[in-house]
Amino acid sequence: MKSILFFFGIAVCYPFFTQEDLTFTANKRLVQPAVLKSDNTYDTKDLVEISFNAPKSLDSKGTRKYQWSINGATEAGKGWTLPKGGTTKGEKLKVYFEKVGNYTVSLSLTVTVKKKVGEDTEEEENEYTGETEDFISVRSVFPELAALYAQKPQPDYVKLVEKASEYSVKPKYANDPTPQLFLAKGYLGLVKSGNNDPRFESALEECITSFNTARELDKNGVIFDNEHQAFLQELESYLFDEGIKDYISSDPIGDPEGFEVLTEYLDYYSQISFAPITSTFMQARIKYQKKDTKGANALWNSEIPKLKKYTDLDIETTYGKKFKDEMGKDIILSTIDFQLLKFGVMASTRLMKTRDGNATKACDLINVVSPWLADQRDFTQFVSKDFNNCAE
């Protein structure tokens, strides 16, 4: 007779894999390189602490295994190091960054939960992963460039451009936006000071190009430092005062030269503004006046729905008012942005009313921006006079 054995309570493993994306937070994402002190330690103020945001499905009772990596490496050595006793296998990652650059952070989290099923114990294993490219930016402050720009009574803009250019082509700083920002500052200084050096005859175009290069390289907000934000405001004001404000009413027949200046400077502005939508309504008017009605209509049809998604956060900053754009991203609309938006909407709605033979679509646009321009007397008078406050 055969013996029959019964086993109860044996752990039987049934792995179940689910995968969800993790997101990260850090005590700071924009830092300067950590430097060893004389006692061969780092200053704790340079320590970056990175943690993950747990998804709702994460079981708090399970056993967790963490594996962090930076730029694909799980061990320190390529521009980053761990503090004494640190590990890449903890719930949080504490790290010092030693070299300039952008760092991608990844985490693989495995959670194992034991569950009783009858007389057996099953293990359910869930995996959570996340990766954020360029999550940490390590940048240099370039004291030499800062000193040149702060020089009194006036900076030597030629020298600033030359020095910033030298830094910008060095491989070490190839991905650092700061030299490009100082390059833009130098070029604008040359433009405003009336420098006649033939080497810099395209200084304004170079300024725009350098600023946009900096924006492309900037992954974690270098450009939002107060000093750089002040420069953006200066650049916006220069473009508005020199090439837009006095040419708002120009047209291709009565003032072709002024119309060309307006077109050129609006293009410059749309390139450097963090809210380029504010200039598109003036650009639509320009297209309409150039007999490109199809292009003008395309802009109105695409930009008005986007503008409707903008949300006023009712937060005032030194450099403008905070909004959420159509993508849900926080942006700042500057004083100049509002001026351009106002003029563009006024010009566009007149044309739309003429085009349609009624004010329905024009008032649709006016009603979107009216709360934002309520303190602009010329705008409220325009709406009252030309559109009867859109009450028709």
Side-chain angles (χ1 to χ4, degrees), residues 22 24-25 49-53 58 63-69 74 80 82-83 85-95 105-110 128:
L22 301 172
F24 308 119
T25 56
E49 184 174 285
I50 304 169
S51 56
F52 71 95
N53 301 312
L58 184 61
T63 301
R64 302 182 185 184
K65 292 183 179 180
Y66 304 90
Q67 182 59 70
W68 294 89
S69 63
T74 58
W80 58 280
L82 301 171
T87 178
T88 59
K89 297 182 182 296
E91 182 176 1
K92 295 182 178 181
L93 178 64
K94 297 180 180 180
V95 57
V105 174
S106 307
L107 172 63
S108 176
L109 168 60
T110 303
Y128 303 83

Side-chain angles (χ1 to χ4, degrees), residues 40 45 86 152 159 246 277:
N40 209 36
K45 70 178 179 60
K152 302 297 182 182
K159 190 171 183 180
D246 295 334
I277 197 171

